[in-house]
Amino acid sequence: MTSTLPDAGTDWPTLKARMADYATGDVAWRDGKTAVYVFNAGPEVEQVQKEAYALFMSENGLGPAAFPSLKRMEDEVVGFGLSLLNGPEGASGAITSGGTDSITMAVKAARDYARKEKGVAGPLNIVLPRSAHPAFDKAAAVMEIEVRRTPLIDFLADPAAMAAACDASTMMIVGSAPSFPYGLIDPIEALSDLALARGLWLHVDACVGGYIAPFVRMNGVDLAPFDFEVPGVRSMSADLHKYGYCAKGASTVLFRDAALQKFMIFDFRDWPGGRMITPTLAGTRPGGAISAAWAVMNFLGVAGYREKQGQVTAARAKIAAGAEALGFKVLGQPKLGILAFNHPEADSVAVWSKLRERGWFTSLATEPKSLHLMLSPFHLEVADTYLTDLAWALGEVQGGVGVAGGEVRYS
């Protein structure tokens, strides 16, 4: 498909109106009926995102000498993440463009570490649970690394199965905190024991959980250790543009110490343009993503995050209880912002389709087929509406047997 560039330019008011028209088919995420792709922390946070991004939208994080402001903001944001995730003295990291970027760079670091420090020759492999994010497969495809996925126990990683899949060519093992399909935190301590016993690189994918779990714990929820508090964890990925509520695209890749991070960095000088050092895969690094992350994190602070994350977990608990009252079963015991649930007598895809008729844009898990929600603070305000519509959708799927929509509220 090709499009012809207009011969003459168009005035901005006309273009703005056209863009608004294009967007009429998009999901109305500000209404709270979207539980995937967008993290809605309210209009105040959205305003901070936009204004802070615009202030540095033309600056480039590739040039810290030219833009020391961005370097300073990046260092502070990384420091926030390391502090929240129990990074020890000497821990380090970088801002990336998103979770896939963070995971890819961690895989690259682990690969180079295996080659240069451990002297592993020949094909390499990564061992990870079936629930781990496909970003690992993408990174492995780029670097021609074998991926070995292992079965789950109660929707969680099985350390014994992962141990059996490891061999002398294993360069990394992976745990999720939490996994995307189920919202459950893998047994990171047991995976750490495996990593320490075998001398393996353990990466914890906390893209979803990294900037919610610490505050959920502060709010009194008992969470098993999952971060750098666990001694075998060498690297982590944690997305700022998810539960950090920062502007897209922004994530962090974090390392137990700077010596490990060095295996991630590109340092190239054999060309006519002189030496080029890039901390991640990207060349140009959008200044707006860095500045917006810095601004949002400082705007919210610990108190603001605790309040927002408390709203998320309250919405999750409310929806879980309401769904169970309708006969649905929640998969596992989620404690953060994701939950998956299904009904023994109703097809989840059919229920999902009926909910789409009432404007809900959510996702599905497939093993087993389940409704899947990734909740934001704003969802606490619309949880009753969701449960009412869920009751209606279930009744429709079951042939009208059930509670009629609009007659029941869960409060």
Side-chain angles (χ1 to χ4, degrees), residues 349-404:
V349 177
V351 175
W352 179 88
S353 296
K354 298 304 293 185
L355 286 166
R356 287 282 287 125
E357 294 179 18
R358 292 204 166 179
W360 292 98
F361 194 96
T362 63
S363 54
L364 290 161
T366 57
E367 297 178 12
K369 286 196 296 184
S370 311
L371 297 165
H372 182 278
L373 301 176
M374 181 183 284
L375 301 169
S376 295
F378 190 75
H379 286 119
L380 184 58
E381 297 184 30
V382 297
D384 287 331
T385 303
Y386 178 79
L387 289 169
T388 295
D389 289 347
L390 180 64
W392 168 82
L394 177 63
E396 290 288 299
V397 170
Q398 292 181 321
V401 179
V403 180

Coordinates of all heavy atoms in Angstrom, one line a residue, residues 349-404:
V349 N -14.5 -17.3 25.4 CA -14.4 -16.5 24.2 C -15.8 -15.9 23.9 O -16.0 -14.8 23.5 CB -13.9 -17.3 23.0 CG1 -13.9 -16.4 21.7 CG2 -12.5 -17.8 23.3
A350 N -16.8 -16.7 24.1 CA -18.2 -16.3 23.9 C -18.6 -15.2 24.9 O -19.2 -14.2 24.5 CB -19.2 -17.4 24.0
V351 N -18.2 -15.3 26.1 CA -18.5 -14.3 27.1 C -17.7 -13.0 26.8 O -18.3 -11.9 26.9 CB -18.1 -14.8 28.6 CG1 -18.2 -13.7 29.6 CG2 -18.9 -16.0 29.0
W352 N -16.5 -13.2 26.4 CA -15.7 -12.0 26.0 C -16.3 -11.3 24.8 O -16.4 -10.1 24.8 CB -14.3 -12.5 25.6 CG -13.3 -11.5 25.1 CD1 -12.5 -10.7 25.8 CD2 -13.1 -11.1 23.7 NE1 -11.8 -9.9 25.0 CE2 -12.1 -10.1 23.7 CE3 -13.7 -11.5 22.5 CZ2 -11.7 -9.4 22.5 CZ3 -13.2 -10.8 21.3 CH2 -12.3 -9.8 21.4
S353 N -16.8 -12.0 23.9 CA -17.5 -11.4 22.7 C -18.7 -10.6 23.1 O -19.0 -9.5 22.6 CB -17.9 -12.5 21.7 OG -16.7 -13.1 21.2
K354 N -19.5 -11.2 24.0 CA -20.7 -10.4 24.5 C -20.3 -9.2 25.2 O -20.9 -8.1 25.1 CB -21.5 -11.3 25.4 CG -22.1 -12.6 24.8 CD -22.9 -12.3 23.5 CE -24.2 -11.5 23.8 NZ -25.0 -11.4 22.6
L355 N -19.2 -9.2 26.0 CA -18.7 -8.0 26.7 C -18.3 -7.0 25.7 O -18.4 -5.8 26.0 CB -17.6 -8.4 27.7 CG -18.0 -9.1 28.9 CD1 -16.8 -9.7 29.6 CD2 -18.7 -8.1 29.9
R356 N -17.7 -7.4 24.6 CA -17.4 -6.4 23.5 C -18.6 -5.6 23.0 O -18.5 -4.5 22.7 CB -16.7 -7.2 22.4 CG -15.3 -7.6 22.6 CD -14.2 -6.5 22.5 NE -14.0 -6.1 21.2 CZ -14.1 -4.9 20.7 NH1 -14.5 -3.9 21.6 NH2 -13.8 -4.5 19.5
E357 N -19.7 -6.3 23.0 CA -20.9 -5.6 22.6 C -21.3 -4.4 23.5 O -22.0 -3.5 23.1 CB -22.1 -6.6 22.6 CG -22.0 -7.7 21.5 CD -23.2 -8.6 21.5 OE1 -24.2 -8.2 22.1 OE2 -23.0 -9.7 20.9
R358 N -20.8 -4.5 24.8 CA -21.1 -3.4 25.7 C -19.8 -2.5 25.9 O -19.7 -1.8 26.9 CB -21.5 -4.0 27.1 CG -22.9 -4.6 27.0 CD -23.6 -4.6 28.3 NE -25.0 -4.9 28.1 CZ -25.9 -5.1 29.0 NH1 -25.6 -4.9 30.3 NH2 -27.2 -5.3 28.8
G359 N -18.9 -2.6 24.9 CA -17.8 -1.7 24.9 C -16.6 -2.1 25.6 O -15.6 -1.3 25.7
W360 N -16.5 -3.3 26.2 CA -15.3 -3.7 26.9 C -14.3 -4.3 26.0 O -14.5 -5.2 25.3 CB -15.7 -4.8 28.0 CG -16.6 -4.2 29.1 CD1 -17.9 -4.3 29.2 CD2 -16.1 -3.4 30.2 NE1 -18.3 -3.6 30.3 CE2 -17.3 -3.1 31.0 CE3 -14.9 -3.0 30.7 CZ2 -17.2 -2.3 32.1 CZ3 -14.8 -2.3 31.8 CH2 -15.9 -2.0 32.6
F361 N -13.1 -3.7 26.0 CA -12.0 -4.3 25.3 C -10.9 -4.8 26.2 O -10.2 -4.1 26.9 CB -11.3 -3.2 24.4 CG -10.4 -3.7 23.3 CD1 -10.9 -3.9 22.0 CD2 -9.1 -4.0 23.6 CE1 -10.0 -4.4 21.1 CE2 -8.3 -4.6 22.7 CZ -8.7 -4.8 21.4
T362 N -10.9 -6.1 26.4 CA -10.0 -6.8 27.3 C -9.3 -7.9 26.5 O -9.5 -8.0 25.3 CB -10.8 -7.4 28.5 OG1 -11.7 -8.4 28.1 CG2 -11.5 -6.3 29.3
S363 N -8.6 -8.7 27.2 CA -7.8 -9.8 26.5 C -8.3 -11.2 27.0 O -9.2 -11.3 27.9 CB -6.3 -9.6 26.7 OG -6.0 -9.5 28.0
L364 N -7.7 -12.2 26.5 CA -8.0 -13.6 26.8 C -6.7 -14.3 27.1 O -5.7 -14.1 26.4 CB -8.7 -14.2 25.6 CG -10.2 -13.8 25.4 CD1 -10.6 -14.2 24.0 CD2 -11.1 -14.4 26.4
A365 N -6.8 -15.3 28.0 CA -5.7 -16.3 28.1 C -6.2 -17.6 27.4 O -7.4 -17.8 27.3 CB -5.4 -16.6 29.5
T366 N -5.3 -18.4 26.9 CA -5.7 -19.5 26.1 C -5.5 -20.9 26.8 O -6.0 -21.9 26.3 CB -5.0 -19.5 24.8 OG1 -3.6 -19.5 25.0 CG2 -5.4 -18.3 24.0
E367 N -4.7 -20.9 27.8 CA -4.4 -22.2 28.5 C -4.6 -22.1 30.0 O -3.6 -21.8 30.7 CB -2.9 -22.6 28.2 CG -2.6 -22.9 26.8 CD -1.2 -23.2 26.5 OE1 -0.4 -23.5 27.5 OE2 -0.7 -23.3 25.4
P368 N -5.8 -22.3 30.5 CA -7.0 -22.6 29.8 C -7.7 -21.4 29.2 O -7.2 -20.2 29.6 CB -7.9 -23.3 30.8 CG -7.5 -22.6 32.1 CD -6.0 -22.4 32.0
K369 N -8.7 -21.5 28.4 CA -9.3 -20.3 27.9 C -10.0 -19.6 29.0 O -10.7 -20.1 29.8 CB -10.4 -20.7 26.9 CG -9.9 -21.2 25.5 CD -11.0 -21.2 24.4 CE -12.1 -22.2 24.8 NZ -13.1 -22.3 23.7
S370 N -9.6 -18.3 29.1 CA -10.0 -17.5 30.3 C -10.1 -16.0 29.9 O -9.5 -15.5 29.0 CB -9.0 -17.6 31.4 OG -8.7 -18.9 31.7
L371 N -11.0 -15.3 30.6 CA -11.1 -13.9 30.5 C -9.8 -13.3 31.3 O -9.4 -13.9 32.3 CB -12.3 -13.4 31.2 CG -13.6 -13.8 30.5 CD1 -14.8 -13.5 31.4 CD2 -13.8 -13.1 29.1
H372 N -9.3 -12.3 30.7 CA -8.0 -11.8 31.3 C -8.1 -10.2 31.4 O -8.5 -9.5 30.5 CB -6.9 -12.1 30.3 CG -5.5 -11.7 30.7 ND1 -5.1 -10.4 30.5 CD2 -4.5 -12.4 31.3 CE1 -3.8 -10.3 31.0 NE2 -3.5 -11.5 31.4
L373 N -7.8 -9.7 32.6 CA -7.9 -8.3 32.8 C -6.5 -7.8 33.4 O -5.9 -8.4 34.3 CB -8.9 -8.0 33.9 CG -10.4 -8.4 33.6 CD1 -11.3 -8.1 34.8 CD2 -10.9 -7.7 32.3
M374 N -6.0 -6.7 32.8 CA -4.9 -6.0 33.4 C -5.4 -4.6 33.8 O -5.7 -3.8 33.0 CB -3.8 -5.8 32.3 CG -2.6 -5.1 32.9 SD -1.3 -4.9 31.6 CE -0.6 -6.5 31.5
L375 N -5.6 -4.5 35.1 CA -6.3 -3.4 35.7 C -5.5 -2.1 36.0 O -4.3 -2.2 36.3 CB -7.1 -3.9 37.0 CG -8.0 -5.0 36.7 CD1 -8.5 -5.6 38.1 CD2 -9.2 -4.6 35.9
S376 N -6.2 -1.0 35.9 CA -5.6 0.3 36.2 C -6.3 0.9 37.4 O -7.4 0.4 37.8 CB -5.7 1.3 35.0 OG -4.9 0.8 33.9
P377 N -5.8 2.0 38.0 CA -6.5 2.6 39.1 C -7.9 3.0 38.8 O -8.8 2.8 39.7 CB -5.6 3.8 39.4 CG -4.3 3.4 39.0 CD -4.5 2.6 37.8
F378 N -8.2 3.5 37.6 CA -9.5 3.9 37.2 C -10.5 2.8 37.2 O -11.7 3.0 37.3 CB -9.5 4.6 35.9 CG -10.7 5.3 35.5 CD1 -11.0 6.5 36.1 CD2 -11.6 4.8 34.6 CE1 -12.2 7.2 35.8 CE2 -12.8 5.4 34.3 CZ -13.1 6.7 34.9
H379 N -10.1 1.6 37.1 CA -11.0 0.4 37.0 C -11.8 0.2 38.3 O -12.9 -0.4 38.3 CB -10.3 -0.9 36.6 CG -9.9 -0.9 35.2 ND1 -8.6 -1.0 34.7 CD2 -10.7 -0.8 34.1 CE1 -8.6 -1.0 33.4 NE2 -9.9 -0.9 33.0
L380 N -11.3 0.8 39.4 CA -12.0 0.7 40.7 C -13.4 1.4 40.5 O -14.4 1.0 41.1 CB -11.2 1.2 41.8 CG -11.8 1.1 43.2 CD1 -12.1 -0.3 43.6 CD2 -10.9 1.8 44.3
E381 N -13.4 2.5 39.8 CA -14.6 3.3 39.6 C -15.6 2.6 38.7 O -16.8 2.9 38.8 CB -14.3 4.6 39.0 CG -13.4 5.5 39.9 CD -13.2 6.9 39.3 OE1 -14.1 7.4 38.5 OE2 -12.1 7.5 39.5
V382 N -15.2 1.6 37.9 CA -16.1 1.0 36.9 C -16.2 -0.5 37.2 O -16.8 -1.2 36.4 CB -15.6 1.2 35.5 CG1 -15.7 2.7 35.1 CG2 -14.2 0.6 35.2
A383 N -15.7 -1.0 38.3 CA -15.8 -2.4 38.6 C -17.2 -2.9 38.7 O -17.5 -4.0 38.3 CB -15.0 -2.7 40.0
D384 N -18.1 -2.1 39.3 CA -19.5 -2.5 39.4 C -20.1 -2.6 38.0 O -20.9 -3.6 37.8 CB -20.3 -1.5 40.3 CG -20.0 -1.6 41.7 OD1 -19.7 -2.7 42.2 OD2 -20.1 -0.6 42.4
T385 N -19.8 -1.7 37.2 CA -20.3 -1.8 35.8 C -19.8 -3.0 35.1 O -20.6 -3.7 34.4 CB -19.9 -0.5 35.0 OG1 -20.4 0.7 35.7 CG2 -20.5 -0.5 33.6
Y386 N -18.6 -3.3 35.3 CA -18.0 -4.5 34.6 C -18.7 -5.8 35.1 O -19.1 -6.6 34.3 CB -16.5 -4.6 34.9 CG -15.9 -5.9 34.3 CD1 -15.6 -5.9 32.9 CD2 -15.7 -7.0 35.1 CE1 -15.1 -7.1 32.4 CE2 -15.2 -8.2 34.5 CZ -14.9 -8.2 33.2 OH -14.4 -9.4 32.6
L387 N -18.9 -5.9 36.4 CA -19.5 -7.1 37.0 C -21.0 -7.2 36.5 O -21.5 -8.3 36.3 CB -19.4 -7.1 38.5 CG -18.0 -7.3 39.0 CD1 -17.9 -7.0 40.5 CD2 -17.5 -8.7 38.7
T388 N -21.7 -6.1 36.4 CA -23.0 -6.1 35.9 C -23.1 -6.6 34.5 O -23.9 -7.5 34.1 CB -23.7 -4.7 36.0 OG1 -23.8 -4.3 37.4 CG2 -25.1 -4.7 35.4
D389 N -22.1 -6.1 33.7 CA -22.1 -6.5 32.3 C -21.6 -8.0 32.2 O -22.0 -8.7 31.2 CB -21.2 -5.6 31.5 CG -21.8 -4.2 31.3 OD1 -23.0 -4.1 31.5 OD2 -21.1 -3.3 30.9
L390 N -20.7 -8.4 33.1 CA -20.3 -9.8 33.1 C -21.4 -10.7 33.3 O -21.6 -11.8 32.7 CB -19.2 -10.0 34.1 CG -18.6 -11.4 34.2 CD1 -17.9 -11.8 32.9 CD2 -17.6 -11.4 35.4
A391 N -22.3 -10.3 34.3 CA -23.4 -11.1 34.6 C -24.4 -11.2 33.4 O -24.9 -12.3 33.1 CB -24.2 -10.6 35.8
W392 N -24.6 -10.1 32.7 CA -25.4 -10.1 31.5 C -24.8 -11.0 30.4 O -25.5 -11.8 29.8 CB -25.5 -8.7 31.0 CG -26.1 -8.6 29.7 CD1 -27.4 -8.6 29.3 CD2 -25.4 -8.5 28.4 NE1 -27.6 -8.6 27.9 CE2 -26.4 -8.5 27.4 CE3 -24.1 -8.4 28.1 CZ2 -26.0 -8.3 26.0 CZ3 -23.7 -8.2 26.8 CH2 -24.6 -8.2 25.8
A393 N -23.5 -10.8 30.2 CA -22.8 -11.6 29.2 C -22.9 -13.1 29.5 O -23.2 -13.9 28.6 CB -21.4 -11.2 29.0
L394 N -22.7 -13.5 30.7 CA -22.8 -14.9 31.1 C -24.2 -15.4 30.8 O -24.4 -16.5 30.3 CB -22.4 -15.1 32.6 CG -22.6 -16.5 33.1 CD1 -21.6 -17.4 32.4 CD2 -22.3 -16.5 34.6
G395 N -25.2 -14.6 31.2 CA -26.6 -15.0 31.0 C -26.9 -15.2 29.5 O -27.6 -16.1 29.1
E396 N -26.4 -14.3 28.7 CA -26.6 -14.4 27.2 C -26.0 -15.7 26.7 O -26.6 -16.3 25.9 CB -26.0 -13.2 26.6 CG -26.7 -11.9 26.8 CD -28.0 -11.8 26.1 OE1 -28.0 -11.9 24.8 OE2 -29.1 -11.7 26.7
V397 N -24.8 -16.0 27.1 CA -24.1 -17.1 26.6 C -24.8 -18.4 27.1 O -24.8 -19.4 26.3 CB -22.6 -17.1 27.1 CG1 -21.9 -18.5 26.8 CG2 -21.8 -16.0 26.4
Q398 N -25.3 -18.4 28.3 CA -26.0 -19.6 28.8 C -27.5 -19.6 28.3 O -28.3 -20.4 28.9 CB -25.9 -19.6 30.3 CG -24.5 -19.8 30.8 CD -24.5 -19.9 32.3 OE1 -25.1 -19.1 33.0 NE2 -23.6 -20.8 32.9
G399 N -27.8 -18.9 27.3 CA -29.1 -18.9 26.8 C -30.2 -18.2 27.6 O -31.3 -18.7 27.6
G400 N -29.8 -17.1 28.2 CA -30.7 -16.4 29.0 C -30.9 -16.8 30.4 O -31.7 -16.2 31.2
V401 N -30.2 -17.9 30.8 CA -30.3 -18.4 32.2 C -29.3 -17.7 33.0 O -28.1 -17.8 32.8 CB -30.1 -19.9 32.2 CG1 -30.2 -20.4 33.7 CG2 -31.1 -20.6 31.4
G402 N -29.7 -16.8 33.9 CA -28.8 -16.0 34.7 C -29.4 -14.7 35.1 O -30.6 -14.5 35.0
V403 N -28.6 -13.8 35.6 CA -29.0 -12.5 36.0 C -29.1 -11.5 34.9 O -28.1 -11.4 34.1 CB -28.1 -12.0 37.1 CG1 -28.6 -10.6 37.6 CG2 -28.0 -13.0 38.3
A404 N -30.2 -10.8 34.7 CA -30.3 -9.9 33.6 C -29.4 -8.7 33.9 O -29.3 -8.2 35.0 CB -31.8 -9.4 33.5

